[in-house]
Each structure stands twice: as C-alpha cells, then as structure tokens.
Amino acid sequence: GVGRPASAAGDDLSPLFDDPTQTLKHAAYHQFPACRMRLRAAGRGADFRLINQTRKMCNQLLPRQFDFMGYSMRTARWRYTLWLPWDQERLEPLWRAEERDCAQELYDHAGDDASDMDRYENVNLAAERPDVTIGLRAQLEGFFSIRREPPRSQIRPPP
C-alpha cells in the first residue's frame, strides 16, 4: 500500500475495508462553547438549564466572549458532556473548577440503533450514575489534555 505522508493527520481507517465490523475507536469526542449565560446578579453562577439553549449564541462571538466550553464524548453506550467555565483571558477551560461551577450530562444509549436520537437524550443520568461519570470524565480529560497545545505565551521560536 501507499505510505502515509508525514504531513497527514488522523488515523488509518483502511483496516475497515477488510473488516467493516471491527472497532477502531472506542469513543468520539467533540468540543463546543456556550455563551451569554452567566448570571452576574447577586454573585450567582451560571444557570445550567440554559446551556443547550445558548450554544448557537456563540456563532458571532470571539472566544474571549465564551462563558463555558462543553467537552463531550460518545461511546457505544453513553454520551457524556462536561461543561467547564471558560477562562476568557487564557482561552482555555478551567479543568479544576469547583464542581458547583461545572455541569455534567450523561445519557444512556443502550439499544440505540441510530434511528431516533431524541429517544435517548431526554433523561440526564449524571447525578444517578457517578460510577459511570467518574470513569468517563477521566477518559474525557485524558483525551483533551494530551491534545491541548501550550498557551501561546509559552511557545518559543527555535534558537
């Protein structure tokens, strides 16, 4: 076969040609912002009930205007999303934020045949299933932390 050019990014999916039933990845990951949802009055934090209604508000905003960043993963059984406060100066999530300043979503997709997503995304199980959220959060943090680039201020040109 033809070798992969050094400049090409991504994973080799060619084994699927020989066996389309095999699993090459155990999770899919996604990142998306939420905007204009901080409640400034009376020192209250974010109203997480608004989080899925505010994502589209980010379309015309700069990253310095984001309030939260959602990090999501989908496994064969679960969709897990972690909402973290966004550091508007450093342009990065606050991975070690207080739990009260974060939100989690967990949806069970057991039996999902991809014909009706809404059927599986109505009941957030995060509070009921810490046994699942702890493991998925660790996996999610591991995925995004090893792919994070250093802040621009730490990038030095070669001597």
Side-chain angles (χ1 to χ4, degrees):
V2 177
R4 182 174 81 173
S7 61
D11 297 319
D12 180 7
L13 302 179
S14 63
L16 290 174
F17 293 124
D18 296 325
D19 182 4
T21 63
Q22 70 176 302
T23 300
L24 296 182
K25 293 185 178 190
H26 297 284
Y29 297 89
H30 187 64
Q31 173 182 347
F32 39 90
C35 303
R36 297 183 179 157
M37 58 174 289
R38 289 191 194 267
L39 299 176
R40 310 240 185 247
R44 291 172 43 197
D47 183 349
F48 287 109
R49 294 170 300 178
L50 300 175
I51 213 139
N52 285 314
Q53 300 168 13
T54 63
R55 290 185 305 183
K56 65 183 174 191
M57 294 179 190
C58 298
N59 292 344
Q60 305 302 320
L61 298 179
L62 298 171
R64 291 200 185 280
Q65 297 170 299
F66 296 167
D67 290 325
F68 288 84
M69 189 62 69
Y71 293 90
S72 192
M73 64 184 292
R74 176 72 160 80
T75 68
R77 177 158 181 195
W78 304 101
R79 184 175 71 80
Y80 172 73
T81 301
L82 175 64
W83 291 98
L84 295 169
W86 182 249
D87 184 325
Q88 296 173 331
E89 295 301 316
R90 296 181 66 189
L91 302 179
E92 63 184 37
L94 301 174
W95 286 101
R96 300 294 167 232
E98 296 290 328
E99 287 299 316
R100 64 178 157 68
D101 295 327
C102 303
Q104 298 181 91
E105 295 178 61
L106 179 68
Y107 301 100
D108 190 347
H109 281 259
D112 185 354
D113 64 359
S115 64
D116 184 7
M117 182 181 154
D118 190 50
R119 177 177 172 197
Y120 297 92
E121 300 269 332
N122 292 307
V123 179
N124 183 354
L125 300 171
E128 298 171 28
R129 297 296 309 265
D131 58 314
V132 175
T133 60
I134 289 169
L136 292 177
R137 181 173 179 159
Q139 189 177 338
L140 185 85
E141 287 183 8
F143 177 84
F144 282 102
S145 67
I146 63 170
R147 285 164 174 74
R148 287 189 356 215
E149 295 181 16
R152 289 190 181 134
S153 61
Q154 293 179 7
I155 298 175
R156 306 265 188 256

